[in-house]
Amino acid sequence: MKVIAVIPFLFLFLGCAPEPEALKFGVDFCYTCKMTLMDKKFGGEIVTQKGKVYKFDDIKCMIDFYNSGYESEDQMAFKLVVDYSNPENLIEAQEAYYVKSDQIRSPMAGEVAAFNTKETMDLRKKEWKGIWLSWGELVTEFK
């Protein structure tokens, strides 16, 4: 009988898993700079273990928040960035490929674009005469 009493509580906890949210361009605000998210090729999101969602209009804003220590990294369930080649599509930040170039016009002048595949990143890197950055290098770049 005790097992049956526990089952409803299990469903309650299982239903509370943190989830990413779609970025709503023209509606959502950047947590860091407070600007409205407008450019669908840029942006990011951090979701905590408790389900708090922080949205950003530029990767630079996201990295500034990440480096601030406001939320500890071990409490971050998701770190997501917009795939430049597939606007509005969020991808895992640590698995993305990044290009930094002064030819990239991102909302807060971060000059960084994220890509889901190395092949796409390589094409843009060549076109923009940019440099490739890994997640770790990107985090260090904006310290």
Side-chain angles (χ1 to χ4, degrees):
M1 190 69 170
K2 290 182 182 179
V3 173
I4 294 172
V6 173
I7 291 174
F9 291 106
L10 286 175
F11 285 115
L12 179 66
F13 288 112
L14 292 175
C16 296
E19 294 281 332
E21 292 179 3
L23 298 177
K24 296 179 197 124
F25 292 89
V27 176
D28 287 337
F29 290 86
C30 175
Y31 186 82
T32 303
C33 72
K34 310 302 183 220
M35 291 182 60
T36 304
L37 278 65
M38 297 301 289
D39 193 331
K40 296 177 181 184
K41 293 180 180 179
F42 299 99
E45 179 172 289
I46 292 176
V47 183
T48 69
Q49 298 287 349
K50 293 181 180 179
K52 174 75 174 154
V53 179
Y54 298 95
K55 297 181 180 187
F56 308 95
D57 67 339
D58 192 328
I59 292 172
K60 181 183 182 323
C61 287
M62 182 173 152
I63 297 299
D64 287 347
F65 176 84
Y66 178 85
N67 285 331
S68 75
Y70 186 78
E71 292 281 355
S72 63
E73 184 178 6
D74 65 333
Q75 289 301 307
M76 296 178 188
F78 297 96
K79 295 179 286 291
L80 306 163
V81 291
V82 173
D83 180 1
Y84 184 91
S85 296
N86 191 2
E88 296 186 63
N89 186 43
L90 290 169
I91 58 176
E92 273 295 326
Q94 291 173 291
E95 296 173 15
Y97 299 89
Y98 299 93
V99 173
K100 180 162 177 52
S101 169
D102 60 6
Q103 294 183 36
I104 299 172
R105 303 288 181 238
S106 62
M108 294 305 294
E111 299 180 342
V112 174
F115 298 92
N116 195 36
T117 67
K118 185 177 183 320
E119 295 77 20
T120 308
M121 181 274 301
D122 282 337
L123 290 172
R124 292 299 186 144
K125 181 180 78 160
K126 184 176 181 182
E127 175 187 340
W128 291 331
K129 297 175 180 56
I131 59 168
W132 170 73
L133 295 172
S134 67
W135 171 254
E137 292 168 324
L138 183 63
V139 169
T140 303
E141 178 79 19
F142 291 115
K143 270 195 172 179

